[in-house]
Amino acid sequence: MTGPRDMRLPGSVAEVRASPRGPHIGAFFDLDGTLVAGFTGVILTQEQFLSRQLGVADFFGMIQAGLNHKLGRREFENLITAASKVMRGRPLSDLDQLGERLFRQKIESRIYPEMRELVRAHLERGHTVCLSSSALTIQVEPVARFLGIPNTLTNKFVVDDDGVVAGTIVEPILWGPGKANAVQKFAAEHDIDLQDSYFYADGDEDVALMYLVGNPRPTNPEGKMAAVARQRGWPILRFSSRGGSSLSGVVRTLAGVGSMVPVGYGALGWGLLTRSRRRGVNFFTANWPQTLLAASGVQLNVLGRENLTAQRPAVFIFNHRNNFDPVITCSLVRDNFTSVAKKELENDPLVGNLGRLIDAVFIDRDDPKSAVESLRKVEDAARNGLSIVIAPEGTRLDTHEVGPFKKGPFRIAMAAGVPVIPVVIRNAEVIAARDSSVMNPGTVDVAVFPPISMADWTVDNIDERIAEVRQLYLDTLVNWPEDELPEAAPYLHDAPTKKPARKAAKKAAKKAAPKKARP
């Protein structure tokens, strides 16, 4: 019997995008361990304990029950019934608000970006997508709303006429066979062909559901699920991009950050030897970002690398997802650049000192006058031969969003007479969540487009031109190029030929023309 095929994100998403369209195909996703790293029930239990709604004995009892459930030594029905009793007497609306708050604070950052890609792919194909979980509605509904999943199958509280939780769960309870029955009923009601459908789950209790669908996709499986997957050759998806900072991830990141010291000494020595501060800075910027990424196990798959040096200086713009997008971009630009950052980072021990090293400009976004003065310093740096690395969105945004582009980066390029080079980063969220300070190993896809001339940009058309550049990002992220960059002509405008250049060409032509012999 052959072993399971390891499915990388591009392959599995490509598979879905190549599948037939239509709502007759179902895509069923489990919650804990599948869409979300870890167990949302643990987060809910911790919240109840910390808010003193759960006693110490009850807290440890539920944790033990959870462990027993995971090991198969206690019926799930007893576990979820015990949880519902703790909620007795509370308005369901209050619990819904609690679920939404916990999602924003603790669960959203645990959603696997790889699974989010898969959900999006199924939705784009018009499949009937359903989040089917044995968890409670207050755990499931916020995740479904965030991912745009329109259907849910979940356990629900029994409430009275006033919307107050009675302390029991609506029967039949969804778990194991009960969950499989609910999925079959849902499929029948929505005319779904299960033989053409997909199911993503990690738990042993969902093995029966895997047999029901034509495309079983065990996700981060362990125990029985993993064993059955190996026996039957089911494709296995494994993700490690979420779930908190592992010890190895912390060690890798610390090692990468720590490499700043030897690289810094090397830069100092090279600067003194060459009697050039800029050469010392270039030594540092050309080596430390790459060392940090390598130590963290991060690899870059770059298309259009030749565009990084096609025209210098330039304003390099990148879409911003997490704390490490700037590191990725700087590792590609390598040398002779500076950067722009928000004023709040100036006092950060790491970012502030790095910024001062490369002569970065920190902008106070709350003081327009000061911000304008700061941008003039950046323009002067570009005029003096330094490239600029800057995020036009101005802040980190969610996984698949491209925020409005601010005018600052483009005004800098216009004032300095240098081009803009778009750097499109596809999946930096795979190596780190939005606010994470630790990187996970992974491969990040990057597309570097040709320089965009600012020669025909004016005050009158700058908004239109910026919208075109932003559209380049949107289109590239939706249809990521596989082997080569797409034609960027729709977004780029040929710069008008300058008169001095035409005069120089005519002068050169006259000089090259054969002279007439004198009579």
Side-chain angles (χ1 to χ4, degrees):
M1 190 71 70
T2 58
R5 303 185 303 275
D6 288 331
M7 296 182 65
R8 295 180 63 237
L9 173 62
S12 57
V13 170
E15 174 198 26
V16 174
R17 287 177 176 167
S19 66
R21 291 182 177 273
H24 68 285
I25 296 177
F28 298 90
F29 292 85
D30 187 28
L31 178 66
D32 295 325
T34 301
L35 288 173
V36 176
F39 296 91
T40 56
V42 172
I43 295 174
L44 181 60
T45 301
Q46 289 174 339
E47 172 68 17
Q48 292 174 310
F49 177 69
L50 293 175
S51 61
R52 298 183 180 181
Q53 297 170 3
L54 194 66
V56 175
D58 290 333
F59 173 73
F60 284 107
M62 291 189 68
I63 294 296
Q64 181 63 40
L67 292 175
N68 287 341
H69 155 62
K70 186 177 179 181
L71 297 174
R73 293 197 298 264
R74 180 170 178 168
E75 292 292 330
F76 177 78
E77 287 85 350
N78 293 338
L79 171 63
I80 198 168
T81 299
S84 67
K85 288 180 180 178
V86 176
M87 309 287 189
R88 181 190 298 157
R90 299 189 62 182
L92 182 59
S93 58
D94 288 355
L95 295 180
D96 288 338
Q97 292 177 8
L98 170 64
E100 189 65 34
R101 177 172 62 81
L102 291 179
F103 171 76
R104 294 297 176 189
Q105 292 178 348
K106 299 182 179 181
I107 297 174
E108 180 181 344
S109 62
R110 292 172 173 262
I111 294 177
Y112 287 111
E114 300 92 337
M115 294 304 296
R116 191 174 179 186
E117 288 271 7
L118 282 166
V119 171
R120 284 170 57 88
H122 281 291
L123 290 171
E124 288 169 359
R125 299 303 290 175
H127 298 169
T128 300
V129 181
C130 178
L131 202 170
S132 55
S133 171
S134 299
L136 294 162
T137 52
I138 60 174
Q139 300 160 252
V140 172
E141 293 293 345
V143 176
R145 282 194 295 270
F146 180 75
L147 295 176
I149 297 177
N151 306 292
T152 59
L153 294 173
T154 178
N155 283 308
K156 301 177 181 180
F157 292 114
V158 173
V159 296
D160 61 21
D161 294 339
D162 296 323
V164 176
V165 173
T168 55
I169 301 296
V170 175
E171 295 186 354
I173 292 176
L174 272 61
W175 186 84
K179 182 176 174 182
N181 291 336
V183 168
Q184 287 179 297
K185 181 180 178 182
F186 178 88
E189 292 173 348
H190 292 79
D191 295 323
I192 294 173
D193 186 347
L194 288 176
Q195 285 306 304
D196 289 334
S197 297
Y198 298 76
F199 184 53
Y200 302 86
D202 70 310
D204 295 351
E205 71 277 7
D206 287 325
V207 170
L209 261 171
M210 291 291 177
Y211 285 108
L212 291 178
V213 297
N215 299 293
R217 296 294 181 262
T219 306
N220 302 319
E222 296 180 1
K224 180 180 177 181
M225 177 71 83
V228 173
R230 286 191 292 269
Q231 291 171 1
R232 301 190 66 86
W234 291 339
I236 290 178
L237 289 77
R238 290 195 182 278
F239 306 120
S240 58
S241 57
R242 293 295 183 269
S245 302
S246 65
L247 179 59
S248 61
V250 173
V251 171
R252 281 174 173 268
T253 302
L254 288 176
V257 173
S259 68
M260 180 191 304
V261 176
V263 174
Y265 276 118
L268 177 62
W270 184 243
L272 292 174
L273 183 64
T274 60
R275 297 182 179 181
S276 169
R277 180 180 181 276
R278 172 46 56 184
R279 289 185 178 180
V281 171
N282 284 345
F283 181 96
F284 184 86
T285 58
N287 289 281
W288 184 70
Q290 292 187 346
T291 302
L292 174 58
L293 294 175
S296 301
V298 175
Q299 297 180 341
L300 303 181
N301 179 28
V302 184
L303 289 175
R305 190 180 289 272
E306 66 278 4
N307 294 320
L308 291 164
T309 54
Q311 193 172 347
R312 294 286 192 100
V315 175
F316 290 87
I317 59 173
F318 64 94
N319 50 316
H320 205 0
R321 295 292 170 271
N322 58 33
N323 291 323
F324 299 103
D325 298 320
V327 177
I328 290 172
T329 308
C330 290
S331 74
L332 296 173
V333 178
R334 290 183 60 84
D335 55 22
N336 289 312
F337 72 88
T338 187
S339 186
V340 178
K342 58 185 179 181
K343 185 73 173 178
E344 295 88 333
L345 293 175
E346 188 172 13
N347 295 324
D348 183 272
L350 179 61
V351 179
N353 287 320
L354 286 175
R356 282 183 283 274
L357 173 66
I358 65 172
D359 299 320
V361 175
F362 295 93
I363 294 181
D364 187 351
R365 295 178 293 185
D366 296 327
D367 186 345
K369 184 177 180 180
S370 173
V372 170
E373 291 297 323
S374 298
L375 287 177
R376 286 175 181 165
K377 295 179 182 178
V378 182
E379 293 169 8
D380 290 339
R383 291 190 187 97
N384 292 327
L386 288 183
S387 292
I388 311 299
V389 174
I390 186 171
E393 294 158 299
T395 188
R396 290 162 293 167
L397 292 176
D398 190 30
T399 307
H400 292 285
E401 295 179 2
V402 177
F405 280 7
K406 299 182 182 300
K407 295 180 181 179
F410 305 95
R411 284 176 170 167
I412 292 170
M414 291 170 66
V418 301
V420 166
I421 297 181
V423 178
V424 185
I425 302 174
R426 175 174 176 252
N427 56 339
E429 64 275 3
V430 169
I431 64 169
R434 181 182 184 275
D435 299 318
S436 177
S437 58
V438 175
M439 278 188 282
N440 296 303
T443 299
V444 178
D445 297 326
V446 183
V448 184
F449 281 86
I452 299 176
S453 172
M454 299 286 107
D456 65 340
W457 286 50
T458 66
V459 174
D460 294 331
N461 68 17
I462 186 172
D463 290 333
E464 177 186 350
R465 293 288 190 264
I466 291 175
E468 291 170 351
V469 176
R470 180 174 177 271
Q471 191 62 45
L472 171 64
Y473 279 76
L474 292 169
D475 291 347
T476 304
L477 290 170
V478 170
N479 298 299
W480 190 260
E482 294 298 330
D483 300 316
E484 59 183 12
L485 291 175
E487 177 61 44
Y491 312 96
L492 310 181
H493 295 265
D494 293 331
T497 306
K498 296 181 180 179
K499 291 183 179 180
R502 286 201 296 266
K503 289 181 179 179
K506 289 181 179 179
K507 186 176 181 180
K510 286 182 178 180
K511 188 175 182 180
K515 296 181 179 179
K516 294 182 180 180
R518 292 183 180 179

